[in-house]
């Protein structure tokens, strides 16, 4: 009995988070999975339809449009966002007062997505936005960022990169500070240059952090919704129509809850596959300090 007391205290302390996870994550997931096999408009009784909703999703052009837009967005946000946040973290790692810079860079992360979206609507306005005004000073005629089908996804990606920069930067800073200075001292004795230290010490030992940041950024990229909803409403011509926007529209505009749930389950499976692939490939490029 006394031997198990520490375990009981451990379970007691994690129980609020565990209960919240079960109630607000696991139960809704199971319910959505069940609902995906039914036809229901949100009122009255539901009707079991089997795999009809899933077949309808794969035959729906809007679903594929949303998926392609989301993947395009992901391929913009993930590499560019990780690269910039890595450079910033390296630059801030050695300077004085880095705690203050952390606060400034992290402030957008805790800012409301609606507020950020409205601000960027003004910045990226093609007629009187600040960005086009600045570009005009150097002789560049800026595009209609949010109303041009070619530029709307890059515009939303620009917002997301800026918005998530502080989070990734703080994670990278923690990874950099976890690297022992003895490696750099030994490299200095051997005559290694700064670039060689970065190439052969910093990058390899930072790969576990990079792996974590990559996984989280990919997951958040697939779940993009707020930016498109606030700034473009999925337009123009559904050029910023993302998969989560598709799920929202089917549930709360068309009131086809079964269709919406099936799209959500498909998204869950896609995210799971991407995550499992990353875990499978980590042995090839992730190096853990021994």
């Amino acid at each position: 009995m006394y031997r198990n007391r520490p375990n009981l205290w451990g379970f007691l302390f994690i129980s609020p988070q565990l209960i919240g996870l079960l109630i607000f994550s696991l139960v809704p997931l199971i319910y959505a999975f069940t609902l995906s096999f039914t036809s229901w408009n949100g009122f009255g009784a539901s009707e079991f339809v089997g795999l009809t909703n899933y077949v309808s999703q794969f035959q729906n052009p809007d679903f594929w449009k949303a998926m392609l837009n989301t993947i395009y967005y992901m391929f913009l946000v993930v590499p560019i966002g990780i690269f910039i946040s890595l450079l910033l973290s390296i630059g801030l790692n050695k300077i004085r007062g880095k705690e203050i810079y952390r606060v400034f860079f992290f402030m957008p992360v805790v800012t409301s997505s609606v507020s950020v979206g409205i601000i960027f609507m003004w910045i990226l306005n093609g007629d009187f936005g600040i960005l086009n005004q600045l570009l005009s000073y150097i002789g560049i005629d800026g595009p209609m960022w949010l109303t041009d089908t070619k530029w709307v996804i890059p515009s939303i990606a620009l917002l997301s990169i800026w918005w998530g920069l502080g989070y990734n930067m703080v994670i990278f800073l923690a990874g950099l500070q976890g690297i022992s200075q003895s490696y750099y001292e030994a490299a200095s004795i051997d005559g290694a240059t700064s670039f060689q230290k970065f190439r052969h010490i910093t990058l390899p030992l930072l790969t576990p952090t990079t792996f974590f940041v990559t996984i989280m950024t990919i997951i958040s990229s697939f779940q993009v919704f707020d930016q498109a909803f606030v700034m473009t409403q999925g337009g123009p011509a559904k050029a910023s129509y993302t998969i989560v926007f598709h799920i929202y529209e089917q549930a709360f505009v068309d009131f086809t809850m079964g269709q919406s749930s099936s799209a959500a389950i498909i998204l869950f499976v896609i995210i799971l596959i991407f995550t499992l692939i990353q875990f499978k490939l980590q042995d090839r490029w992730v190096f853990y300090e021994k």
Side-chain angles (χ1 to χ4, degrees), residues 6-290:
N7 295 334
L8 293 175
W9 278 107
F11 282 113
L12 179 64
F13 281 118
I14 68 171
S15 60
Q17 180 70 20
L18 184 60
I19 293 172
L21 177 66
L22 292 174
I23 295 176
F24 298 109
S25 295
L26 185 59
V27 172
L29 178 62
I30 295 173
Y31 182 69
F33 181 75
T34 304
L35 197 61
S36 68
F37 297 101
T38 66
S39 176
W40 187 49
N41 63 359
F43 305 95
S46 59
E47 178 186 356
F48 180 78
V49 295
L51 296 174
T52 302
N53 291 330
Y54 290 93
V55 174
S56 298
Q57 288 300 320
F58 290 117
Q59 294 176 345
N60 189 345
D62 287 343
F63 171 82
W64 292 110
K65 178 70 173 177
M67 186 60 67
L68 289 175
N69 288 339
T70 304
I71 293 174
Y72 175 36
Y73 167 88
M74 181 193 69
F75 277 107
L76 289 176
V77 170
V78 174
I80 297 175
I82 292 176
F83 178 73
I84 296 176
S85 58
L86 176 59
L87 290 183
L88 281 175
S89 63
I90 292 172
L92 294 178
N93 191 38
K94 299 296 183 180
I95 66 174
R96 294 182 179 180
K98 55 179 173 285
E99 292 79 9
I100 299 176
Y101 288 103
R102 285 183 190 176
V103 173
F104 285 129
F105 280 107
F106 199 79
M107 284 176 64
V109 179
V110 296
T111 305
S112 166
S113 59
V114 176
S115 302
V116 172
I118 292 174
I119 292 171
F120 266 79
M121 285 178 64
W122 286 89
I123 294 174
L124 298 175
N125 187 283
D127 296 319
F128 51 80
I130 298 173
L131 182 56
N132 278 1
Q133 289 290 329
L134 294 175
L135 291 175
S136 66
Y137 294 149
I138 56 177
I140 299 177
D141 187 16
M144 304 296 289
W145 298 97
L146 299 177
T147 56
D148 190 330
T149 55
K150 296 179 181 178
W151 286 100
V152 64
I153 288 292
S155 300
I156 295 174
L158 176 65
L159 180 155
S160 300
I161 290 169
W162 173 83
W163 194 20
L165 201 60
Y167 176 83
N168 289 341
M169 186 199 68
V170 168
I171 299 297
F172 275 124
L173 273 172
L176 288 169
Q177 292 170 11
I179 300 176
S180 175
Q181 291 299 312
S182 61
Y183 295 111
Y184 298 102
E185 293 170 359
S188 297
I189 294 173
D190 291 337
T193 63
S194 297
F195 178 77
Q196 289 173 330
K197 293 177 185 178
F198 174 75
R199 169 67 180 84
H200 297 287
I201 298 175
T202 304
L203 280 182
L205 294 181
L206 203 60
T207 50
T209 305
T210 307
F211 173 71
F212 172 78
V213 171
T214 302
I215 291 292
M216 298 305 295
T217 308
I218 289 175
I219 292 174
S220 64
S221 296
F222 270 109
Q223 296 174 336
V224 59
F225 170 73
D226 298 8
Q227 302 92 311
F229 182 78
V230 172
M231 298 171 64
T232 64
Q233 287 290 306
K238 292 194 173 182
S240 61
Y241 188 73
T242 64
I243 188 63
V244 177
F245 202 109
H246 176 71
I247 294 170
Y248 160 80
E249 193 172 70
Q250 290 207 314
F252 302 108
V253 177
D254 300 334
F255 291 99
T256 53
M257 301 298 175
Q259 293 279 348
S260 176
S261 298
S262 63
I265 296 300
I266 293 172
L267 176 61
F268 169 77
V269 172
I270 291 173
I271 293 175
L272 179 62
I273 291 173
F274 267 85
T275 304
L276 291 176
I277 290 173
Q278 288 295 320
F279 273 96
K280 185 69 175 179
L281 296 177
Q282 68 170 323
D283 293 337
R284 299 184 180 183
W285 66 279
V286 180
F287 304 95
Y288 293 98
E289 187 175 359
K290 297 180 180 179

